[in-house]
Amino acid sequence: MGMKDQFQDKAEQLAEQAKKRPGQSRDRRDEASERSSQTHDSLRERGSQSEDSERRRQEAQDRYDHDYEA
């Protein structure tokens, strides 16, 4: 059996599995989409935390500068 035959057999086997379980691929796509949106949400949340900490840092620097102005 050559490599071509092995790949062809594997492709046919996978095609049969896909036909047997049509709903499962949708479930996997839904899971992937959900994970993606969760990752997006956590990045957005981190961004807002970063903006908040940057704002607080800037305010502290402004107070410090104001206190030591001549």
Side-chain angles (χ1 to χ4, degrees):
M1 183 183 272
M3 285 184 70
K4 181 181 177 184
D5 295 329
Q6 289 177 350
F7 283 111
Q8 190 170 5
D9 289 346
K10 186 65 176 181
E12 290 171 1
Q13 188 180 36
L14 292 173
E16 287 178 29
Q17 286 179 356
K19 288 178 187 176
K20 289 179 184 176
R21 297 183 249 156
Q24 190 175 23
S25 65
R26 268 189 235 117
D27 294 342
R28 287 185 181 169
R29 271 186 270 149
D30 292 343
E31 289 174 13
S33 175
E34 186 176 322
R35 278 194 304 268
S36 175
S37 68
Q38 287 174 351
T39 301
H40 227 7
D41 291 344
S42 68
L43 288 174
R44 204 173 317 127
E45 191 174 293
R46 271 191 235 146
S48 66
Q49 289 173 349
S50 175
E51 290 170 6
D52 189 42
S53 64
E54 176 63 25
R55 181 183 51 78
R56 281 189 266 133
R57 187 197 64 74
Q58 185 62 45
E59 288 173 354
Q61 183 67 44
D62 291 346
R63 282 193 305 274
Y64 177 81
D65 292 343
H66 181 72
D67 289 346
Y68 290 99
E69 282 183 349

